[in-house]
């Protein structure tokens, strides 16, 4: 006997939702998935009528589903938004160049304006060049820092009201675990926030409409909707620290499917003693973008690359200061020797 959809529509069920365990037909799954994202947007007041929203588009499943669903919801519920696509080209041969072709296809399919910014034009470096200098042990540090600032730069160029990213429930749960393991209380405080930034006039907020969407369901939605997305993993990703947190989370999910949401809710409820030092977010005195240190991490990393000290921004600030002092001392000595002849 066929299993029927639990919504009572009398259609045959074709899947069991990983998130709820309900058996649903194709149509009810699509509607339920989209409605949950709509409720997340409405309950958290992520957008306002007339907003220009930049969707951070990588060509992967998350950003593709985000663009598709926001277009549907914007028309269905008359949000009154202008949606544009913002992509960052990190300069990773065989990965980003291929995924950008998918982004361009999304641009044509959804009729959205597309802006592509590259690391090379922003910083004078590509990730391929950076990895040739730093190796594969800390490359994700450079890419993550530069990418976050590149999105801010792109948002400012496009004059948007906010940036929507494709972070899903799995991503956020992984980040909570990573910050706990590293003892990073500063990031642990804000990694569960569905909206970050936008506290001053020059800061453009970021929102996460897919915060409560499971990765498995995003993949299922993209697959059964036959959306065009790029599924190849970054060639530098296998060495990332996040991979260990992801593997641990997947093991937890096998034993307890609700583990992902449990971790997110735990992160949302965490509180810290008043004695815990809170970093103050301001503006970098060099580049003018949001930072909790002077100069910002992006400027420190870029300075290290340009100085020939690629590990300058990796690790503690005191170590970086010693590296700069040592190099300046060598240069001064070299200049003294040169003037003696």
């Amino acid at each position: 006997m066929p299993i029927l959809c639990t919504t009572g529509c009398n259609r045959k069920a074709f899947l069991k939702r990983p998130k709820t365990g309900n058996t649903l037909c194709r149509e009810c799954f699509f509607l339920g998935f989209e409605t949950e994202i709509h409720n997340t947007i409405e309950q958290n007041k992520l957008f306002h009528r007339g907003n220009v929203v930049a969707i951070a588009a990588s060509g992967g499943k998350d950003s593709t589903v985000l663009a598709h669903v926001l277009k549907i919801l914007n028309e269905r519920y008359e949000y009154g938004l202008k949606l544009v696509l913002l992509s960052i080209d990190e300069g990773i041969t065989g990965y980003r160049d291929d995924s950008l072709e998918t982004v361009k296809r999304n641009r044509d399919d959804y009729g959205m304006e597309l802006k592509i910014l590259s690391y090379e034009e922003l910083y004078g470096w590509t990730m391929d060049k950076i990895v040739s200098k730093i190796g594969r042990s800390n490359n994700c540090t450079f890419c993550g820092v530069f990418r976050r600032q590149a999105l801010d730069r792109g948002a400012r160029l496009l004059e948007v009201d906010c940036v929507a990213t494709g972070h899903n429930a799995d991503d956020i749960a992984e980040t909570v675990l990573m910050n706990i393991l590293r003892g990073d209380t500063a990031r642990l405080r804000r990694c569960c926030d569905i909206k970050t930034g936008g506290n001053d006039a020059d800061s453009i907020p970021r929102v996460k409409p897919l915060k409560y969407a499971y990765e498995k369901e995003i993949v299922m939605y993209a697959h059964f909707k036959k959306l065009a997305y790029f599924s190849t993993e970054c060639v530098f990703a296998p060495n990332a620290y996040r991979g260990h947190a992801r593997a641990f989370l997947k093991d937890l999910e096998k034993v307890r499917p609700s583990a992902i949401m449990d971790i997110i809710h735990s992160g949302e409820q965490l509180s810290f003693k008043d004695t815990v030092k809170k970093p103050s977010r301001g503006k970098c005195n060099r580049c003018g973008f949001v930072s909790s240190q002077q100069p910002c991490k992006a400027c420190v990393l870029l300075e290290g690359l340009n100085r020939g000290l690629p590990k300058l921004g990796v690790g503690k600030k005191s170590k970086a200061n010693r590296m700069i002092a040592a190099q300046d001392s060598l240069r001064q000595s070299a200049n003294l020797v040169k003037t003696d002849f």
Side-chain angles (χ1 to χ4, degrees):
M1 183 177 178
I3 299 175
L4 297 179
C5 178
T6 54
T7 62
C9 67
N10 293 324
R11 288 190 288 260
K12 291 182 181 179
F14 90 115
L15 62 80
K16 183 177 181 180
R17 287 194 71 179
K19 185 175 182 179
T20 63
N22 293 335
T23 53
L24 299 175
C25 66
R26 190 186 301 260
E27 291 75 10
C28 288
F29 168 66
F30 292 155
L31 181 60
F33 182 84
E34 294 161 0
T35 302
E36 286 180 5
I37 296 173
H38 166 68
N39 291 337
T40 299
I41 292 171
E42 290 293 293
Q43 291 167 9
N44 295 279
K45 297 179 172 60
L46 300 186
F47 308 124
H48 300 286
R49 180 171 292 277
N51 279 174
V52 179
V53 179
I55 300 170
S58 66
K61 63 186 184 311
D62 299 317
S63 62
T64 299
V65 168
L66 178 62
H68 179 83
V69 172
L70 284 184
K71 176 177 172 60
I72 289 176
L73 297 180
N74 191 35
E75 296 170 353
R76 181 183 297 165
Y77 298 102
E78 299 181 352
Y79 289 165
L81 306 176
K82 179 184 177 182
L83 302 174
V84 297
L85 299 174
L86 173 59
S87 291
I88 307 300
D89 181 4
E90 301 93 341
I92 304 175
T93 305
Y95 171 68
R96 184 55 70 207
D97 45 358
D98 291 337
S99 69
L100 285 176
E101 293 303 314
T102 304
V103 174
K104 292 173 183 177
R105 181 175 172 182
N106 291 337
R107 172 199 61 192
D108 298 336
D109 290 344
Y110 306 139
M112 298 179 186
E113 176 187 343
L114 170 62
K115 176 67 176 178
I116 300 175
L117 289 176
S118 70
Y119 282 6
E120 190 158 32
E121 65 180 293
L122 293 175
Y123 308 114
W125 290 82
T126 65
M127 276 309 299
D128 286 343
K129 292 179 182 177
I130 292 172
V131 171
S132 70
K133 298 292 183 182
I134 191 69
R136 295 200 172 206
S137 58
N138 294 293
N139 53 80
C140 289
T141 298
F142 284 82
C143 194
V145 171
F146 286 161
R147 182 177 174 78
R148 283 189 289 273
Q149 191 186 91
L151 285 173
D152 287 338
R153 290 174 179 267
R156 186 175 291 184
L157 284 173
L158 290 172
E159 298 182 342
V160 300
D161 297 294
C162 71
V163 177
T165 63
H167 291 94
N168 58 49
D170 297 56
D171 295 330
I172 296 169
E174 290 165 11
T175 305
V176 171
L177 291 175
M178 290 168 63
N179 290 332
I180 289 174
L181 294 172
R182 291 187 300 207
D184 194 336
T185 56
R187 288 189 176 89
L188 190 55
R189 288 170 180 272
R190 62 177 183 266
C191 69
C192 287
D193 293 342
I194 197 168
K195 188 174 185 178
T196 56
N199 297 324
D200 55 73
D202 295 330
S203 177
I204 298 174
R206 296 186 192 181
V207 297
K208 306 168 187 170
L210 302 182
K211 178 183 176 181
Y212 299 112
Y214 274 31
E215 184 177 52
K216 286 182 179 178
E217 298 197 351
I218 290 173
V219 172
M220 292 165 68
Y221 184 90
H223 175 72
F224 291 112
K225 278 281 187 177
K226 297 182 179 179
L227 303 182
Y229 67 93
F230 186 76
S231 58
T232 302
E233 185 180 45
C234 174
V235 293
F236 302 134
N239 298 311
Y241 181 57
R242 179 177 289 274
H244 301 290
R246 180 177 295 120
F248 177 58
L249 184 64
K250 294 305 179 187
D251 289 339
L252 285 177
E253 189 182 8
K254 291 176 185 176
V255 179
R256 183 182 174 89
S258 65
I260 294 172
M261 295 305 300
D262 293 341
I263 291 172
I264 292 175
H265 292 320
S266 296
E268 292 171 338
Q269 300 302 319
L270 281 175
S271 61
F272 298 86
K273 293 181 179 179
D274 294 334
T275 54
V276 176
K277 186 178 179 180
K278 303 176 182 177
S280 57
R281 293 172 68 83
K283 289 183 181 178
C284 174
N285 52 23
R286 291 188 187 178
C287 65
F289 286 92
V290 176
S291 174
S292 58
Q293 68 179 50
Q294 294 294 345
C296 72
K297 190 74 169 178
C299 286
V300 173
L301 292 173
L302 188 59
E303 181 183 5
L305 290 169
N306 292 334
R307 277 175 171 262
L309 298 171
K311 294 188 177 181
L312 181 67
V314 180
K316 295 183 178 179
K317 191 175 181 180
S318 57
K319 178 184 175 183
N321 291 336
R322 289 196 299 270
M323 292 174 69
I324 292 175
Q327 189 184 66
D328 289 344
S329 178
L330 286 172
R331 286 180 176 176
Q332 186 175 9
S333 298
N335 288 333
L336 288 173
V337 171
K338 184 177 180 180
T339 57
D340 289 340
F341 290 93

